[in-house]
Amino acid sequence: MADWTRASAAQMAAAMKAGEVTSVELTQAHLDRIAAVDGDVHAFLHVDAEGALATAREVDAARAAGEELPPLAGVPIAVKDILVTKGMPTTAGSRILEGWEPPYDATVTRKIREARMPILGKTNMDEFAMGSSTEHSGYGPTRNPWDLDRIPGGSGGGSAASLAAWEAPLAIGSDTGGSIRQPASVTGTVGVKPTYGGVSRYGAIALASSLDQLGPCARTVEDAALLHEVMGGHDPMDATSLDEPVPSCVDAARQGREEDLAGVRIGVIKELSGEGYQAGVEQRFEESLELLKARGAEVVEVSCPSFEYALAAYYLILPSEASSNLAKFDSVRFGLRVEKATVERTMGATRAEGFGDEVKRRIILGTYALSAGYYDAYYGSAQKVRTLIQRDFAAAFEQADVLVSPTTPTTPFKLGERLDDPLAMYLNDVATIPANLAGIPGLSLPSGTAPEDGLPTGFQILAPAHEDARMYRIGAALEKALAEQWGGHLSAQAPELEVAQ
Ligand code: GLN
């Protein structure tokens, strides 16, 4: 292949096995690509060329020695900076953690190392994963490779942009309210939020512990499935980790490509359409439904009336949990320390300087919502809404095997456009948040580009808890049908970036 950065992770793995390319060559090709375009895209906060090449060399030597290797051995990967990586800077996009090098690996980091995948570096994100545009990063925004004046989504804009810019074939993301799926949608890539507890959170810097979930980011459904199986599984270090086998995502994706969808019921969530949804986004969504029908699926409409309150409930539960999780950044244990006369003032000055506006906004909101006089009215009510949303999902899954919607109401907006309007920013996640409140899995895949602006649109598939494999089956079936319709895989249609010579 002329340019290995254009291959899928599955193709790379097969080519290494067949002796057509080495991991060093693959890793170097991606490092070269990062060097060429990341000045514009800014997907990475830290690039570890030496570490990645060292792993690649080990894999090549092991392969040459005839060693049995894991499926993705030698395939390079980008890691969201929310995951702690021993000896490699970890900031969660915050100035308060500038210069911090974790003394240990997150479970998922360890699994990537055990899978023998070279880690290219750490990707940019909204500070502590709060945001939908990566503009809240303490280190400057990431830009969307489809149009550098537009946002790549958030909080995991760096991971998604690294895939769309061909800087990495796979990446890790975290999804608390949509931070894997929404960036995937606006960059024309694939992103999956597994069932809550399906992937260990140990060593993932916590935003809101009852909502957070790590997951795979990729350019194809099959690649996401391959990475999902690397990441998933029980972990005694995480008290909420599910004690059950990793779902068979890869087999399900294969089944989706090879078999029709006869007998599969697809539920369209009525509340996630209409007002606020861009015409081209809805058009591509409808076309995808037709493709699913043509493959034999039955499409029904379902109603989830409580979704109307999902965003409001989320923006009480998330800040409440975040205000508690972020208390540990106190100038004593990690990173930044702004020295003042007393301990209290040192803590205050450090947090004032180290945290950005969005983080402060949410800490204040969360502290208020949890205060004695308001707890029942705010946090308590939000928890009740959460139960109603879970019930809506349970009822909807009686009528359908999977539920679907556009992933985001619009294509990517311009940088700066919503920065001063938190509510407009929050509305991006209106279709992704319900899944986090219910703990169910969600997958976003590209459904095309909107006719009015030529920018990517996303199709979201939700499944009941523990049924992650189902999304891969339907996702792979749709991906194949879309590729036939569009004359090639959608991720291969990402526009070329001008490379400065
Ligand atoms: N954009 C949402 C928020 O700002 C989701 C964030 C996330 O999933 N980490 O909270």
Side-chain angles (χ1 to χ4, degrees):
M1 186 172 287
D3 181 354
W4 282 104
T5 62
R6 306 300 144 125
S8 69
Q11 287 168 336
M12 290 181 202
M16 279 187 281
K17 229 176 173 176
E20 292 160 18
V21 68
T22 64
S23 176
V24 167
E25 285 165 345
L26 284 180
T27 305
Q28 191 59 56
H30 288 94
L31 291 168
D32 290 347
R33 178 73 183 165
I34 293 170
V37 301
D38 210 52
D40 288 332
V41 178
H42 194 220
F44 286 87
L45 291 177
H46 176 77
V47 177
D48 184 19
E50 247 170 67
L53 287 168
T55 305
R57 276 192 292 271
E58 282 165 26
V59 170
D60 289 340
R63 203 183 299 278
E67 234 179 84
E68 190 68 38
L69 291 166
L72 290 176
V75 178
I77 185 167
V79 173
K80 188 176 182 181
D81 206 24
I82 200 157
L83 212 59
V84 305
T85 41
K86 189 174 177 180
M88 203 189 289
T90 300
T91 66
S94 182
R95 288 280 174 189
I96 212 161
L97 280 177
E98 195 168 7
W100 183 60
E101 284 195 5
Y104 72 107
D105 271 338
T107 295
V108 167
T109 310
R110 174 175 59 75
K111 287 185 180 235
I112 292 169
R113 295 196 205 277
E114 285 167 5
R116 307 190 71 166
M117 303 172 72
I119 298 178
L120 295 165
K122 306 296 289 289
T123 57
N124 197 13
M125 55 183 282
D126 285 296
E127 186 175 6
F128 290 111
M130 298 180 189
S132 305
S133 68
T134 317
E135 292 169 292
H136 293 311
S137 166
Y139 302 91
T142 297
R143 291 167 182 275
N144 192 323
W146 287 78
D147 176 348
L148 294 174
D149 290 331
R150 291 180 188 265
I151 59 106
S155 64
S159 283
S162 75
L163 302 169
W166 314 101
E167 295 171 290
L170 292 171
I172 302 286
S174 70
D175 192 310
T176 303
S179 285
I180 290 176
R181 289 163 287 156
Q182 182 258 4
S185 176
V186 299
T187 58
T189 58
V190 176
V192 178
K193 172 211 163 320
T195 296
Y196 182 76
V199 174
S200 168
R201 291 184 293 113
Y202 177 69
I205 295 172
L207 169 53
S209 308
S210 75
L211 304 163
D212 294 346
Q213 189 51 218
L214 296 169
C217 309
R219 286 189 298 254
T220 70
V221 172
E222 182 188 23
D223 283 3
L226 284 161
L227 182 55
H228 192 141
E229 292 194 14
V230 170
M231 300 172 72
H234 180 61
D235 179 13
M237 299 299 280
D238 173 355
T240 61
S241 170
L242 293 171
D243 195 359
E244 61 184 35
V246 185
S248 301
C249 309
V250 179
D251 282 349
R254 194 163 301 135
Q255 189 193 359
R257 278 198 311 273
E258 288 166 8
E259 295 171 20
D260 67 24
L261 297 177
V264 175
R265 294 167 307 160
I266 295 184
V268 178
I269 304 173
K270 191 173 110 198
E271 285 74 12
L272 300 181
S273 65
E275 201 193 327
Y277 286 77
Q278 191 179 320
V281 169
E282 294 214 311
Q283 183 186 330
R284 295 303 181 220
F285 177 70
E286 297 293 334
E287 288 168 4
S288 290
L289 290 179
E290 291 305 318
L291 291 174
L292 289 167
K293 275 192 212 159
R295 285 184 74 94
E298 183 195 342
V299 175
V300 297
E301 189 181 80
V302 299
S303 175
C304 296
S306 311
F307 282 19
E308 189 186 344
Y309 310 108
L311 207 65
Y314 173 86
Y315 277 101
L316 286 167
I317 293 169
L318 177 140
S320 298
E321 294 186 17
S323 67
S324 152
N325 276 327
L326 296 183
K328 62 178 163 287
F329 300 104
D330 57 5
S331 77
V332 179
R333 285 172 270 205
F334 314 90
L336 184 73
R337 184 190 188 103
V338 180
E339 211 67 63
K340 294 279 172 203
T342 65
V343 173
E344 213 179 324
R345 285 211 200 139
T346 299
M347 284 186 189
T350 302
R351 286 166 71 84
E353 191 175 312
F355 288 144
D357 287 349
E358 183 63 21
V359 173
K360 287 178 187 157
R361 184 153 42 230
R362 297 199 195 188
I363 291 175
I364 292 168
L365 193 61
T367 309
Y368 182 78
L370 289 177
S371 59
Y374 294 106
Y375 182 91
D376 279 340
Y378 292 116
Y379 189 75
S381 303
Q383 290 292 21
K384 286 181 190 152
V385 170
R386 192 170 188 173
T387 302
L388 293 177
I389 286 167
Q390 285 161 355
R391 284 189 197 153
D392 275 0
F393 270 127
F397 282 125
E398 299 265 305
Q399 294 167 258
D401 302 301
V402 293
L403 304 178
V404 297
S405 74
T407 312
T408 51
T410 67
T411 55
F413 47 90
K414 290 226 160 89
L415 267 97
E417 203 178 289
R418 303 198 186 172
L419 202 48
D420 298 325
D421 186 351
L423 274 185
M425 188 75 93
Y426 297 169
L427 275 170
N428 259 282
D429 298 314
V430 64
T432 50
I433 278 173
N436 300 77
L437 289 169
I440 65 167
L443 177 153
S444 177
L445 79 156
S447 56
T449 51
E452 59 268 36
D453 55 21
L455 293 164
T457 57
F459 188 93
Q460 175 174 244
I461 304 169
L462 304 170
H466 315 283
E467 301 294 343
D468 303 45
R470 241 184 245 180
M471 314 183 298
Y472 284 99
R473 178 179 172 202
I474 314 295
L478 177 58
E479 180 182 60
K480 186 177 171 197
L482 282 162
E484 282 161 11
Q485 178 182 291
W486 287 74
H489 192 278
L490 287 176
S491 73
Q493 328 235 343
E496 285 303 311
L497 291 166
E498 295 276 339
V499 176
Q501 293 299 322

